[in-house]
Amino acid sequence: MSRSRLEAFSDGVIAVLITIMVLELRPPEGVGLHDLRPLVPKVSVYLLSFVFLAIYWNNHHHLMQVVERISGGVLWANAHLLFWLSLTPVATAWLGPHLDDSAPVGVYGVVLLGSAIAFTILTRALLAVHAPDSRLALAVGRDWKGKLSLVAYAVAIAVAPVVPWLSVAVYAAVAAVWLVPDRRIERVLPARAGEPERRARPSA
Amino acid sequence: MSRSRLEAFSDGVIAVLITIMVLELRPPEGVGLHDLRPLVPKVSVYLLSFVFLAIYWNNHHHLMQVVERISGGVLWANAHLLFWLSLTPVATAWLGPHLDDSAPVGVYGVVLLGSAIAFTILTRALLAVHAPDSRLALAVGRDWKGKLSLVAYAVAIAVAPVVPWLSVAVYAAVAAVWLVPDRRIERVLPARAGEPERRARPSA
Amino acid sequence: MSRSRLEAFSDGVIAVLITIMVLELRPPEGVGLHDLRPLVPKVSVYLLSFVFLAIYWNNHHHLMQVVERISGGVLWANAHLLFWLSLTPVATAWLGPHLDDSAPVGVYGVVLLGSAIAFTILTRALLAVHAPDSRLALAVGRDWKGKLSLVAYAVAIAVAPVVPWLSVAVYAAVAAVWLVPDRRIERVLPARAGEPERRARPSA
Amino acid sequence: MSRSRLEAFSDGVIAVLITIMVLELRPPEGVGLHDLRPLVPKVSVYLLSFVFLAIYWNNHHHLMQVVERISGGVLWANAHLLFWLSLTPVATAWLGPHLDDSAPVGVYGVVLLGSAIAFTILTRALLAVHAPDSRLALAVGRDWKGKLSLVAYAVAIAVAPVVPWLSVAVYAAVAAVWLVPDRRIERVLPARAGEPERRARPSA
């Protein structure tokens, strides 16, 4: 089975998800700048969700580059990931105007946790059809960032009923950690255009 | 005619369909966990429809891999399939809050049946432009799962006016049957990376 | 400039357009089969618009297969076509419940006419960067179906203020004419898999 | 890293953005032609935003054609651009019925300015991983059109509180300047089909 359609379909779903969230940003009724005030928390949460979906797209993109084969199980692990990601817009819409409330904050964390677990399952399903010394296995390695995120989300969900803003801070911190692109994959990819490419990339 | 744009367009339509259904999942008015209660049946039906659309994408993906040529008739058979699939969001939105009512349950089944018939027509249209000993013909074979699904949907529609929940159970059972990837196609595909790939795939 | 991203972008826009129209199909408030009655005209108009957009996708697909080069002018001619097509959902939403009213019927025709003119302009822009004996020029030929459609739409718009249903009948008739795939393109394409392919396609 | 998925994802996001704006164009309640009057300013602003997004797609398409490599930094610069572009629909929805009001006009300009800055950052991130004599560097050149746009948007935002219509005129003027395709890129691309292609393109 080829991985190209899997990539195309995932790209399509994530592209739609990342943009339909913007439908939640309704223009204000009034025409003054101060009418934008209620939009500020909504736009902030939209930005957070945008970053999370972009992170998943980036990591999916990086992961697939070292994949040599896929299986029926991988297709379903991928669909499972897309399902969790597809809950992001509704979780975002609930959190936007309710940043101080335990339930919306906790549920947002559940969607993040579900997505992270689904990504882990996808990685495992891929490892199962690759050799232990494959580029994929080398690239994934011990996956400490993935494991750390799972723990962070679980802690944030547990904290949400008590100090909701702390949970939101944890979500933002995890996003910040992932904003740094996953060097594990780049490490094992041969430089396409030779050494100069490697050296020219410090700003990445 | 090349099959790549047909795949790209179908991927696009299915990706959009699978994600706009989520627009129906409106965040609750309240901010308590119990406010999520009315969302539970909606999310369940969303999950069911997500799985059905993912099954069609998977089967479409599998089918197209052994297709060697397409025709104008295939393009329209494919558009016909996409039309039926495009009715899934509205059928889902009606079924979500009305899992016990005959009409929404029956209409949901009609959309499933229409989609299944359309997929059968697409398969026939493809077989018409392939040799009887083509990989496609071998892969499709007797298509008992396709035929069984048609019968199951018809029965479920007939049962809906009497015992709606039984129809829903049938829909879920058919989905479960299809969740197992279609091995017919994988069977006739040559192992890309040699024997090890075959043996490495038992978890699929 | 390569044509592949032009195709991908057009596929994306048309795939989204064809599916967001379905958002207009709201599930009924009631739970009886008779509650579906008001949906019948809406679904009929949705089907008509679905067929029109599928026709444009098909013809775009056929056209692009014999294109050897594109220009900046072609990019804008294509964007112009997509703009007209993007008005289809709102014209469809207005026509759906108002099949007997002159203005919605006429405006729907204006969108069809605008799209058809835009497709003609795109064809001309492509011909301008191809030789007179190119496969594209041979495939487009005298384009009688395109010219006939332009005339039919103009007549239907003129008739809309007097006999709206006749205009709708004209729209449906034009769609029926185009449902037959454009053989002009297939004629000039070399058979990919040799003679058998040609002979195997009578059902197309 | 390959640029093809970056292109595919960007195509997907822009295709969705350009089409979900049309969801804001609600059909009128009435059935007379005069009921379309309130839609005229909305459609005009929709057209303006459509042109802006099409310009970004065109320029993105042109830019990527001479890109030889991408980096993690480029992925995020691209996501940053998509974020600003994703605010276009809400800015459009606010401006549509309020073309004479300072705040909606100014905010629309802020979204345009943010998108333009993001495109500049993307260009710089790409230049950072290319040699000074690369085709990309030659193609971007001094980028006077990009710089001029930044200045024009800043001026228009400053003017919005005083003479809103002048700002809108500036937006339209900048769009008109960009409608001319970016010849810098075409200049450095080798003619694919030899000299005849070059000569055949004067109408571009």
Side-chain angles (χ1 to χ4, degrees):
Chain A
M1 266 180 284
S2 82
R3 72 180 202 215
S4 63
R5 261 193 94 180
L6 183 69
E7 291 181 327
F9 184 65
S10 307
D11 283 356
V13 170
I14 299 176
V16 177
L17 284 175
I18 218 168
T19 42
I20 63 174
M21 282 194 302
V22 88
L23 291 175
E24 204 60 38
L25 298 178
R26 305 299 315 145
E29 290 295 314
V31 295
L33 271 183
H34 58 274
D35 292 311
L36 292 176
R37 284 285 290 280
L39 269 181
V40 172
K42 280 192 172 189
V43 171
S44 308
V45 176
Y46 168 59
L47 175 58
L48 186 64
S49 295
F50 187 99
V51 169
F52 270 116
L53 286 173
I55 286 168
Y56 275 100
W57 181 79
N58 269 12
N59 290 347
H60 196 275
H61 174 107
H62 275 82
L63 189 68
M64 285 294 155
Q65 283 190 79
V66 287
V67 161
E68 288 151 37
R69 63 181 63 100
I70 61 173
S71 63
V74 166
L75 291 188
W76 282 108
N78 194 65
H80 178 237
L81 171 62
L82 295 178
F83 178 74
W84 278 101
L85 294 180
S86 81
L87 298 178
T88 307
V90 62
T92 303
W94 203 26
L95 183 59
H98 304 299
L99 272 165
D100 296 327
D101 292 296
S102 297
V105 168
V107 165
Y108 189 86
V110 169
V111 171
L112 291 181
L113 181 61
S115 304
I117 292 174
F119 196 85
T120 304
I121 293 173
L122 174 61
T123 307
R124 299 291 154 234
L126 283 165
L127 286 173
V129 292
H130 284 76
D133 60 346
S134 62
R135 289 199 304 167
L136 178 77
L138 291 175
V140 171
R142 296 178 52 196
D143 194 21
W144 67 267
K145 258 206 299 194
K147 286 172 186 158
L148 185 71
S149 302
L150 292 175
V151 173
Y153 293 143
V155 169
I157 293 167
V159 165
V162 195
V163 203
W165 67 261
L166 186 58
S167 304
V168 176
V170 171
Y171 304 152
V174 175
V177 167
W178 280 103
L179 269 171
V180 182
D182 203 326
R183 288 310 183 90
R184 290 175 299 169
I185 307 279
E186 292 186 38
R187 212 171 46 220
V188 299
L189 277 180
R192 299 264 162 96
E195 267 306 292
E197 181 177 8
R198 287 274 119 157
R199 267 186 273 120
R201 246 196 244 168
S203 68
Chain B
M1 267 181 283
S2 82
R3 73 181 201 215
S4 63
R5 260 194 95 180
L6 183 69
E7 291 181 325
F9 184 65
S10 307
D11 283 356
V13 170
I14 300 175
V16 177
L17 284 174
I18 217 167
T19 42
I20 62 174
M21 282 193 303
V22 88
L23 291 175
E24 205 60 37
L25 298 178
R26 304 302 313 147
E29 291 294 314
V31 295
L33 271 183
H34 58 274
D35 292 311
L36 291 177
R37 284 286 289 280
L39 269 181
V40 172
K42 281 192 171 188
V43 171
S44 309
V45 176
Y46 168 60
L47 176 58
L48 185 64
S49 296
F50 188 100
V51 169
F52 270 117
L53 285 174
I55 286 168
Y56 276 100
W57 181 80
N58 270 12
N59 289 347
H60 196 274
H61 175 105
H62 275 82
L63 189 68
M64 285 294 154
Q65 283 190 79
V66 287
V67 161
E68 288 152 36
R69 63 181 64 99
I70 61 173
S71 63
V74 166
L75 290 188
W76 282 108
N78 194 66
H80 178 235
L81 170 62
L82 295 178
F83 177 74
W84 279 100
L85 294 180
S86 80
L87 298 178
T88 306
V90 61
T92 302
W94 203 27
L95 182 59
H98 304 300
L99 273 165
D100 297 327
D101 293 296
S102 297
V105 169
V107 164
Y108 190 85
V110 169
V111 171
L112 291 181
L113 181 61
S115 303
I117 292 174
F119 196 84
T120 305
I121 292 174
L122 173 62
T123 307
R124 300 290 154 234
L126 283 165
L127 286 174
V129 292
H130 284 75
D133 61 346
S134 61
R135 290 198 303 166
L136 178 77
L138 291 174
V140 171
R142 297 179 51 196
D143 193 20
W144 67 268
K145 257 209 297 194
K147 285 172 187 158
L148 185 72
S149 303
L150 291 175
V151 173
Y153 293 144
V155 168
I157 294 167
V159 164
V162 194
V163 202
W165 67 260
L166 186 58
S167 304
V168 176
V170 171
Y171 304 152
V174 175
V177 168
W178 279 104
L179 270 170
V180 182
D182 202 325
R183 287 311 183 88
R184 290 174 302 170
I185 307 279
E186 292 186 37
R187 211 171 48 220
V188 299
L189 276 180
R192 299 262 162 98
E195 267 306 292
E197 181 177 9
R198 287 272 121 155
R199 268 185 274 118
R201 247 195 244 167
S203 69
Chain C
M1 268 182 282
S2 82
R3 73 180 201 216
S4 64
R5 261 195 95 180
L6 183 69
E7 291 181 326
F9 184 65
S10 307
D11 283 356
V13 170
I14 300 176
V16 177
L17 284 175
I18 218 168
T19 41
I20 62 174
M21 282 194 303
V22 87
L23 291 175
E24 205 60 38
L25 298 178
R26 305 301 312 147
E29 291 295 314
V31 296
L33 271 183
H34 58 275
D35 292 311
L36 291 176
R37 283 285 291 281
L39 269 180
V40 173
K42 281 192 171 190
V43 171
S44 309
V45 176
Y46 168 59
L47 176 58
L48 185 64
S49 296
F50 188 99
V51 169
F52 270 116
L53 285 173
I55 287 169
Y56 275 100
W57 181 79
N58 270 13
N59 289 348
H60 196 275
H61 175 106
H62 275 81
L63 188 67
M64 285 294 155
Q65 282 190 81
V66 287
V67 161
E68 288 151 37
R69 61 181 64 101
I70 61 174
S71 63
V74 166
L75 291 188
W76 283 108
N78 194 66
H80 178 236
L81 170 63
L82 295 178
F83 177 76
W84 278 102
L85 295 180
S86 80
L87 298 179
T88 306
V90 62
T92 303
W94 203 26
L95 183 59
H98 304 299
L99 273 165
D100 296 329
D101 292 296
S102 296
V105 169
V107 165
Y108 190 85
V110 169
V111 171
L112 291 181
L113 180 61
S115 303
I117 292 174
F119 196 84
T120 305
I121 292 174
L122 174 61
T123 308
R124 299 290 154 234
L126 283 164
L127 286 174
V129 292
H130 284 74
D133 61 345
S134 61
R135 291 199 302 167
L136 178 77
L138 290 175
V140 171
R142 295 179 52 195
D143 194 20
W144 68 267
K145 257 207 297 195
K147 285 172 186 157
L148 185 71
S149 303
L150 291 175
V151 172
Y153 294 144
V155 169
I157 294 168
V159 164
V162 194
V163 202
W165 66 261
L166 186 57
S167 304
V168 175
V170 170
Y171 304 152
V174 174
V177 167
W178 279 103
L179 270 171
V180 181
D182 203 324
R183 287 310 183 91
R184 290 175 299 169
I185 307 278
E186 291 186 37
R187 210 171 48 219
V188 299
L189 277 179
R192 298 263 163 96
E195 266 306 292
E197 180 178 9
R198 287 273 118 156
R199 268 186 273 118
R201 246 194 244 169
S203 68
Chain D
M1 267 182 284
S2 82
R3 73 180 202 216
S4 63
R5 261 194 94 181
L6 183 69
E7 291 181 326
F9 183 64
S10 307
D11 283 356
V13 170
I14 299 177
V16 177
L17 284 175
I18 218 168
T19 41
I20 62 174
M21 283 194 302
V22 88
L23 292 175
E24 204 61 38
L25 298 179
R26 304 301 313 146
E29 292 295 314
V31 295
L33 270 183
H34 57 276
D35 292 311
L36 291 176
R37 284 286 290 281
L39 268 181
V40 172
K42 281 191 171 188
V43 172
S44 308
V45 176
Y46 168 59
L47 175 58
L48 186 64
S49 296
F50 187 99
V51 169
F52 269 116
L53 286 173
I55 287 169
Y56 275 100
W57 181 80
N58 270 12
N59 290 347
H60 197 274
H61 175 106
H62 275 83
L63 189 68
M64 285 294 155
Q65 282 190 80
V66 287
V67 160
E68 289 151 36
R69 62 180 64 100
I70 62 173
S71 63
V74 166
L75 291 188
W76 283 108
N78 194 65
H80 178 237
L81 170 62
L82 295 178
F83 177 75
W84 279 101
L85 294 180
S86 80
L87 298 178
T88 306
V90 62
T92 302
W94 204 26
L95 182 59
H98 303 300
L99 273 165
D100 296 327
D101 293 296
S102 297
V105 169
V107 165
Y108 190 85
V110 169
V111 172
L112 290 181
L113 181 61
S115 303
I117 292 174
F119 196 84
T120 305
I121 292 173
L122 173 61
T123 307
R124 300 289 155 235
L126 283 165
L127 286 174
V129 291
H130 284 75
D133 60 345
S134 61
R135 290 199 303 168
L136 177 77
L138 291 175
V140 171
R142 295 179 51 196
D143 194 20
W144 68 267
K145 258 207 296 194
K147 286 172 186 158
L148 186 70
S149 303
L150 292 175
V151 172
Y153 293 144
V155 168
I157 293 167
V159 165
V162 194
V163 202
W165 67 261
L166 185 58
S167 304
V168 176
V170 171
Y171 304 152
V174 174
V177 168
W178 280 103
L179 270 171
V180 182
D182 203 325
R183 288 310 183 88
R184 291 175 299 170
I185 308 279
E186 292 186 37
R187 211 171 47 219
V188 300
L189 277 179
R192 298 263 163 96
E195 267 306 292
E197 180 178 7
R198 286 273 119 156
R199 268 186 273 119
R201 246 195 245 168
S203 68

